[in-house]
Amino acid sequence: MARKLSLPLDKVQYWEEQKAQEIYLSQPMGNGEVVDYTWRRAVGEARRMATYLKSMDLPAGSRIAIISKNCAHWIMSDWAIWMAGHVSVPLYPTLNAETVRYILDHSGAEVAFVGKLDDWEMMKPGVPETMHCISYPLSPETDFPTWNEIVAQQSPLQPVAERDPDEMATIVYTSGSTGKPKGVMLSFANMAYAAEGCIQALDVTPDERMLSYLPLAHVFERFVVELGSLYAGFHLYFAQTLDTFLQDLQRAKPTLFLAVPRIWTKFQAGVFQKMPPEKLDRLLKIPLLNRVIKKKILTNLGLEHVKFAGSGSAPLAGEILEWYRRLGLELLEGYGMSENFAYSHMSMPGRSRTGYVGEPLPGVETRITEEGEVQVRSPATMMGYYRDPEKTAETMTEDGFLATGDKGEEDELKRLKLTGRIKEIFKTSKGKYVAPAPIENELVAHPMVEVACVSGANQTSPYALVMLGEDVRPRISNPNYRKEVDKQLEHLMEEVNQGLDPHEQLKFMVVVRDEWTIENNFLTPTMKLKRNVVEDAYQNKMDDWYSRSQTIIWED
């Protein structure tokens, strides 16, 4: 029997009445000041902004963009857009001007909220001069009407627009790891089903605390943090900057914490900088010290109160999962896509299995095709791609399953193991197929390696490009340290190759000189590798590398 859904705006109005004086959002403003928004104030400001949007006489369902890093006003803008009868279009705060313009044009956005941004000058040329923009209190210097001025002059919108469950609520643009971003259309029912299912599965309560810092433009953060806090009614904190991240964590004292694999790896590297892994292992084996050491590490990370910690967006190496579990922090991996609002699979406490991304969430059906492709179906599955019926037909099966493009297998408890991307699997010149993702996961488990890209299509054997960690890169000018890196990488490659079939074994590893970043287009805004960009950048050096008889090659 289908469950009756409470839609996002229903929950907004419910908490406005039930928890009017309780703090919902805590926003750092710089200089040590933190502004707390009660539910009454947050919903009240959203209602006033909705009145302003209504006064613009836009057609119902107009698209309104949000270009900002995470902050309290991001969430209030989302509500205001919905209250006024429109559709929100979030943009990553790190996009270049060309992509900004593409998304604004493609979505047909009429208005844009311009918020907290590190490089507005880079993005600004992508926003048409004719577009009506509104700035936040934390926005860069602009001459746009400001949030505070607008809400001071408007009365709260009563009643807000009635929204149908199957009506489009938002268009989420994919991060573009394989070309132009696609606009995923999500309905209010899609979002509501995911939020309620997550809360039910993990028993999330109104007493939780979360820190919001991963981009809200990404479904992972939007689903668990924005919609999770809205449906459970818990307190949400925002990070100020990367430099204050640890202080922000310690201020929030989160009970739920989300991160992508690179953050978990960096946390571990930070611990190892203070205490070498061998020494830490020895101390953790001493019964009297074990508990003290674990508590100290988690306290220093600001994670001592965390009951559920999640990792998603990309696979996390098994060794790192096990390391955190030894500290008493069970990392729950999740799997999902923009196309199902990240609502698909999640590890459950006490039932997680290393190497598996979890079991289906409530209401999710999974099947594996003969080719090994994972296909999923649930009420959280998208309405389709905006203005792209052909791509929608390619991605959705006739019976409503989402073709994920991921290869996978299930165990007896329906836990899912991903074994690669169908489109990323390449063939060597010997006609053998290689799935790069599992090999890359083994490489990035090493503390010296931050990102890896395994390639070798039409070559005799695969190879790996590796970018060293940010604490390693500055030290490689020291010849003795470089020799040590060489030795460790050779040992790593030997270990990884031992677990691979002969046709998958790496012929060599190349240590790249460049740093792969979002800004230079090697990574997506969610820090996923843009494989085609990386491979193209080094293509002309390939013949030379294969002609050498070296195991570890340093890029010239």
Side-chain angles (χ1 to χ4, degrees):
M1 186 177 139
R3 63 181 192 238
K4 188 174 186 310
L5 293 174
S6 183
L7 299 185
L9 286 181
D10 299 335
K11 299 304 292 187
V12 168
Q13 294 176 90
Y14 175 80
W15 295 121
E16 180 188 29
E17 294 168 9
Q18 298 297 314
K19 299 181 81 165
Q21 299 306 326
E22 291 185 38
I23 295 169
Y24 172 42
L25 306 169
S26 290
Q27 176 63 56
M29 304 299 290
N31 305 319
E33 183 193 357
V34 176
V35 175
D36 288 324
Y37 289 81
T38 62
W39 281 96
R40 175 175 288 167
R41 179 178 174 186
V43 181
E45 292 201 12
R47 285 181 181 278
R48 291 169 189 273
M49 182 55 69
T51 300
Y52 178 75
L53 295 177
K54 287 281 280 186
S55 74
M56 298 176 72
D57 288 328
L58 301 170
S62 290
R63 277 74 60 214
I64 297 180
I66 304 174
I67 311 171
S68 177
K69 292 170 76 172
N70 299 14
C71 59
H73 295 85
W74 200 110
I75 287 177
M76 291 187 278
S77 298
D78 212 12
W79 296 351
I81 292 165
W82 293 338
M83 288 173 173
H86 301 310
V87 175
S88 58
V89 182
L91 277 75
Y92 287 99
T94 48
L95 296 176
N96 59 36
E98 182 186 354
T99 310
V100 170
R101 183 170 288 276
Y102 172 79
I103 292 173
L104 295 178
D105 285 350
H106 186 268
S107 66
E110 305 266 6
V111 179
F113 287 96
V114 175
K116 185 182 177 189
L117 295 165
D118 290 334
D119 198 349
W120 169 236
E121 289 306 310
M122 174 189 75
M123 303 179 84
K124 189 177 175 180
V127 180
E129 288 185 13
T130 53
M131 179 165 282
H132 185 90
C133 296
I134 299 160
S135 71
Y136 294 162
L138 289 165
S139 296
E141 190 83 23
T142 68
D143 55 4
F144 305 145
T146 70
W147 178 282
N148 287 346
E149 288 168 353
I150 291 168
V151 298
Q153 293 163 7
Q154 303 294 328
S155 56
L157 184 64
Q158 294 280 8
V160 302
E162 283 282 331
R163 307 307 297 261
D164 187 88
D166 297 324
E167 194 180 344
M168 182 163 61
T170 191
I171 306 175
V172 175
Y173 278 83
T174 59
S175 54
S177 58
T178 53
K180 288 281 187 196
K182 299 185 291 290
V184 174
M185 298 185 288
L186 294 166
S187 69
F188 288 102
N190 292 152
M191 300 175 98
Y193 194 91
E196 289 188 354
C198 179
I199 286 164
Q200 172 195 329
L202 291 177
D203 193 23
V204 177
T205 75
D207 298 324
E208 314 300 352
R209 299 181 299 275
M210 281 197 91
L211 179 70
S212 177
Y213 68 98
L214 296 172
L216 276 164
H218 189 266
V219 288
F220 186 40
E221 182 87 352
R222 191 113 174 261
F223 156 45
V224 180
V225 177
E226 183 191 9
L227 272 292
S229 67
L230 178 56
Y231 274 70
F234 61 72
H235 191 161
L236 203 52
Y237 295 77
F238 292 92
Q240 186 174 325
T241 65
L242 268 179
D243 294 337
T244 64
F245 185 66
L246 272 180
Q247 295 97 296
D248 292 326
L249 261 181
Q250 286 156 353
R251 173 172 55 85
K253 296 182 172 55
T255 59
L256 308 174
F257 183 70
L258 282 186
V260 292
R262 285 185 76 189
I263 289 172
W264 291 117
T265 307
K266 285 188 176 197
F267 277 179
Q268 184 194 52
V271 172
F272 287 165
Q273 270 188 314
K274 293 178 181 174
M275 188 183 295
E278 300 79 13
K279 183 179 178 183
L280 180 59
D281 279 345
R282 280 200 311 274
L283 293 175
L284 287 173
K285 285 172 185 167
I286 302 169
L288 289 173
L289 279 178
N290 179 288
R291 188 174 293 180
V292 175
I293 295 287
K294 290 197 291 194
K295 186 175 180 186
K296 186 176 180 183
I297 291 171
L298 292 177
T299 301
N300 286 342
L301 291 173
L303 303 178
E304 73 273 26
H305 299 286
V306 169
K307 63 179 189 182
F308 297 137
S311 181
S313 192
L316 185 62
E319 294 90 334
I320 295 173
L321 279 168
E322 293 296 344
W323 184 82
Y324 278 102
R325 283 174 189 158
R326 283 187 67 202
L327 293 179
L329 192 68
E330 186 179 15
L331 288 193
L332 304 177
E333 283 203 275
Y335 167 67
M337 302 171 68
S338 301
E339 287 82 351
N340 52 25
F341 199 47
Y343 187 79
S344 182
H345 288 67
M346 191 178 288
S347 303
M348 293 300 155
R351 295 206 300 267
S352 56
R353 179 179 176 185
T354 302
Y356 288 70
V357 293
E359 53 200 80
L361 282 159
V364 174
E365 299 171 74
T366 312
R367 69 185 182 195
I368 311 288
T369 67
E370 284 183 14
E371 296 76 31
E373 183 183 35
V374 179
Q375 296 188 346
V376 292
R377 177 171 69 181
S378 82
T381 305
M382 67 172 179
M383 303 165 72
Y385 293 117
Y386 189 60
R387 293 173 56 191
D388 200 342
E390 285 182 18
K391 188 62 74 176
T392 302
E394 278 176 36
T395 308
M396 299 297 301
T397 66
E398 285 185 9
D399 55 352
F401 277 81
L402 176 66
T404 66
D406 288 310
K407 282 179 77 80
E409 55 195 49
E410 292 178 314
D411 71 3
E412 69 286 354
L413 295 180
K414 296 284 287 178
R415 290 175 297 202
L416 178 66
K417 180 179 186 177
L418 298 176
T419 55
R421 289 283 296 166
I422 285 174
K423 288 181 182 173
E424 287 177 357
I425 291 171
F426 61 85
K427 194 192 282 188
T428 65
S429 60
K430 296 173 183 174
K432 298 283 191 177
Y433 286 98
V434 177
I439 307 172
E440 290 162 356
N441 292 341
E442 294 292 321
L443 295 173
V444 298
H446 193 281
M448 282 189 169
V449 177
E450 188 165 326
V451 196
C453 177
V454 170
S455 192
N458 305 315
Q459 301 286 353
T460 52
S461 306
Y463 69 95
L465 296 163
V466 298
M467 184 182 91
L468 299 175
E470 61 184 349
D471 56 324
V472 180
R473 291 194 296 271
R475 301 163 66 191
I476 56 175
S477 54
N478 179 326
N480 291 331
Y481 185 71
R482 185 155 159 165
K483 278 182 191 169
E484 176 60 26
V485 175
D486 258 331
K487 196 165 90 179
Q488 291 223 29
L489 292 180
E490 278 183 19
H491 181 61
L492 171 64
M493 189 168 132
E494 196 178 305
E495 271 195 335
V496 169
N497 278 345
Q498 279 175 5
L500 298 174
D501 289 336
H503 71 276
E504 298 174 308
Q505 291 176 0
L506 302 173
K507 184 176 175 67
F508 56 84
M509 280 169 62
V510 179
V511 181
V512 300
R513 188 180 62 239
D514 297 326
E515 185 179 352
W516 298 341
T517 66
I518 296 167
E519 289 71 28
N520 63 18
N521 203 36
F522 280 88
L523 302 179
T524 72
T526 51
M527 298 195 285
K528 288 180 187 167
L529 192 75
K530 289 193 175 182
R531 193 174 296 278
N532 59 326
V533 173
V534 172
E535 289 175 342
D536 289 350
Y538 301 98
Q539 188 60 42
N540 62 350
K541 300 184 179 184
M542 206 62 56
D543 292 342
D544 173 49
W545 290 340
Y546 271 95
S547 69
R548 301 189 198 184
S549 54
Q550 291 171 257
T551 310
I552 306 300
I553 298 170
W554 291 77
E555 189 196 359
D556 300 329

